[in-house]
Amino acid sequence: MANINENYLKLPGSYLFAEIAHRVAAYKEAHADADIIRLGIGDVTLPLPRVSIDAMHRAVDEMAEPATFRGYGPEQGYDFLIEAIRETNYRRRGISIDADEIFVSDGSKSDCGNIQEIFGTDCRVAVTDPVYPVYLDTNVMAGRTGALGADGRFAGVTYLPCTAENNFTPTLPTERVDMIYLCCPNNPTGTTLSRAALTDWVAYARKNDAVILFDAAYAAYITEEDVPRSIYEIDGAKEVAIEFRSFSKTAGFTGTRCGYTVVPKALTGRAADGTRHPFNALWNRRHTTKFNGTAYIIQRAAAAIYTEEGQREIRDMIAYYMENARMIRGGLSAVGIEAYGGINAPYIWLRTPDGMRSWDFFDKLLHEAHIVGTPGTGFGPCGEGYFRLTAFNSHENTARAVARFAQLK
């Protein structure tokens, strides 16, 4: 008999965004003429940068000729992309990252979910609450947690509450943990950790032999100087942190799929016999066993954003979305709704009015204003009473959505 992995049975019935899609589809079926504006899922709407399109066309032409055709490439990524990443995102910020510490992939969501495979199943996990679901769900699947309790929390997990009351800055755990997931700028709250706060986390990880899993997918959106663009700006972080980066929101690659993970060789973990082993070697083994590399055409498109023209184009793209964020924050403020984020990130995290529960506000917004957002409770118990809106739509649709805020009864 083939037994199942019963850890999957611990998970809630459906993934958050699948439930949102189900509710929206049901509403559309009953109200076919409804003009729905989607500010829920974090998917971009602007086309790819022109430089990336041109690079893909050239790469496609290469694939049509025997002399320039490419088959299997290096699983870790082509040198031309890795060197562009090293120069632009690290060397220019005074950070030294070796080429063999960068692993190109099909996106940071995959890497954030897969990274837990190189950690022992007895490791204790710490997550912020609210949290991007992939961090927690993949550890549940792997068996690092107990059952889901009535309070919405999994047994055996350390939750780090992030609310308006603590300025969405998680407090260091009182108990020892092994794996710490941090996302900065944060999804879903759109808030950030200061340099001082991140320095405290690195110090905690060094003292407790823990590893920080740092999701920097939205680093390109940072505008404030006190917010690090990379965790490796903090002294000692290369000994305790893995960093995830994405082209999805930076350059519109949500449908094109490309990202990368940095695993420093100085970062080690302990085996049962007490010996230390580099996580870099473990991740390389996992990566080369389970992944055949990101397509050459896509890597050429990704490398193009590091050209002078490419950097200009992605700055323009990010500015476009951040103008939407500004409009949303202003519109919410005008109707007396308290909002956070939207300054260093394309997400706006709002407190639901009159103490309304998150899913009730979802239904209210959908039914009365024909706007789709994301209930905060879908990101964890501390998300109850909050709601996420994204800036990934057109200026026109965002302005129309803002005008509808005033229509809420």
Side-chain angles (χ1 to χ4, degrees):
M1 179 184 296
N3 295 325
I4 65 169
N5 179 352
E6 294 193 22
N7 292 306
Y8 278 69
L9 302 181
K10 300 174 186 175
L11 295 166
S14 65
Y15 186 57
L16 169 62
F17 296 106
E19 175 62 19
I20 290 173
H22 172 74
R23 292 198 184 200
V24 174
Y27 184 79
K28 279 289 289 183
E29 186 175 352
H31 305 83
D33 296 332
D35 175 24
I36 293 176
I37 300 174
R38 299 176 187 270
L39 303 178
I41 192 168
D43 195 3
V44 296
T45 52
L46 293 176
L48 290 171
R50 186 72 248 172
V51 290
S52 295
I53 295 294
D54 292 343
M56 282 195 287
H57 280 304
R58 290 192 295 271
V60 168
D61 288 340
E62 288 182 50
M63 299 297 273
E65 300 295 332
T68 52
F69 172 79
R70 307 274 182 143
Y72 289 125
E75 292 96 340
Q76 300 87 345
Y78 284 99
D79 288 343
F80 61 79
L81 177 54
I82 288 174
E83 288 305 314
I85 290 168
R86 291 177 70 199
E87 176 62 28
T88 306
N89 290 342
Y90 296 104
R91 285 197 193 112
R92 291 181 187 176
R93 302 198 67 82
I95 302 168
S96 176
I97 297 293
D98 293 340
D100 59 358
E101 295 177 319
I102 296 174
F103 298 83
V104 178
S105 71
D106 61 351
S108 61
K109 178 180 179 179
S110 299
D111 289 348
C112 287
N114 294 330
I115 198 70
Q116 51 78 27
E117 292 185 23
I118 62 174
F119 289 83
T121 53
D122 57 349
C123 286
R124 187 172 182 94
V125 176
V127 296
T128 56
D129 180 11
V131 66
Y132 181 46
V134 171
Y135 309 154
L136 182 57
D137 288 0
T138 52
N139 279 285
V140 174
M141 294 170 179
R144 279 188 197 88
T145 76
L148 181 65
D151 62 354
R153 294 181 170 88
F154 286 94
V157 174
T158 297
Y159 287 83
L160 309 170
C162 295
T163 64
E165 286 66 37
N166 66 0
N167 199 31
F168 302 100
T169 300
T171 303
L172 298 175
T174 56
E175 74 269 26
R176 188 187 175 284
V177 299
D178 304 296
M179 300 163 63
I180 305 161
Y181 287 84
L182 296 177
C183 180
C184 181
N186 186 264
N187 177 16
T189 67
T191 58
T192 55
L193 295 173
S194 68
R195 187 174 301 275
L198 201 52
T199 298
D200 288 343
W201 277 106
V202 169
Y204 172 91
R206 290 172 63 85
K207 180 180 179 180
N208 291 276
D209 198 18
V211 176
I212 297 171
L213 303 166
F214 191 74
D215 188 351
Y218 304 96
Y221 285 80
I222 295 172
T223 61
E224 296 179 320
E225 285 303 315
D226 189 43
V227 182
R229 273 63 173 174
S230 166
I231 196 170
Y232 303 123
E233 293 179 34
I234 309 300
D235 288 343
K238 288 175 67 175
E239 298 173 13
V240 295
I242 293 172
E243 182 165 282
F244 307 94
R245 292 287 192 108
S246 171
F247 292 89
S248 288
K249 309 312 191 315
T250 301
F253 276 50
T254 54
T256 314
R257 309 309 307 146
C258 193
Y260 65 91
T261 292
V262 180
V263 187
K265 294 190 289 290
L267 173 65
T268 63
R270 191 195 311 269
D273 63 4
T275 57
R276 306 289 301 193
H277 299 268
F279 280 107
N280 178 281
L282 300 180
W283 183 245
N284 186 63
R285 186 66 169 87
R286 191 263 173 211
H287 200 69
T288 55
T289 300
K290 294 190 174 185
F291 186 62
N292 260 357
T294 302
Y296 171 73
I297 293 168
I298 301 304
Q299 291 193 56
R300 280 296 185 190
I305 74 164
Y306 293 113
T307 62
E308 183 177 346
E309 177 63 16
Q311 290 291 286
R312 185 193 65 77
E313 288 190 46
I314 64 170
R315 283 195 299 269
D316 290 345
M317 177 183 292
I318 290 168
Y320 184 95
Y321 291 132
M322 292 308 289
E323 171 60 17
N324 287 345
R326 186 199 63 78
M327 285 194 285
I328 293 171
R329 280 182 60 107
L332 292 170
S333 176
V335 297
I337 295 178
E338 193 173 1
Y340 314 91
I343 294 173
N344 296 299
Y347 297 116
I348 297 87
W349 188 245
L350 62 95
R351 198 191 291 268
T352 56
D354 304 319
M356 187 177 296
R357 297 183 68 82
S358 295
W359 275 110
D360 291 340
F361 187 70
F362 173 89
D363 291 333
K364 180 181 180 69
L365 203 61
L366 176 61
H367 289 225
E368 294 183 13
H370 296 166
I371 296 171
V372 176
T374 307
T377 190
F379 298 101
C382 284
E384 183 59 85
Y386 292 92
F387 200 82
R388 192 191 76 175
L389 295 173
T390 83
F392 295 121
N393 211 310
S394 66
H395 285 337
E396 295 74 19
N397 282 342
T398 301
R400 291 196 303 123
V402 168
R404 293 180 188 181
F405 292 156
Q407 301 171 10
L408 294 173
K409 301 173 184 176

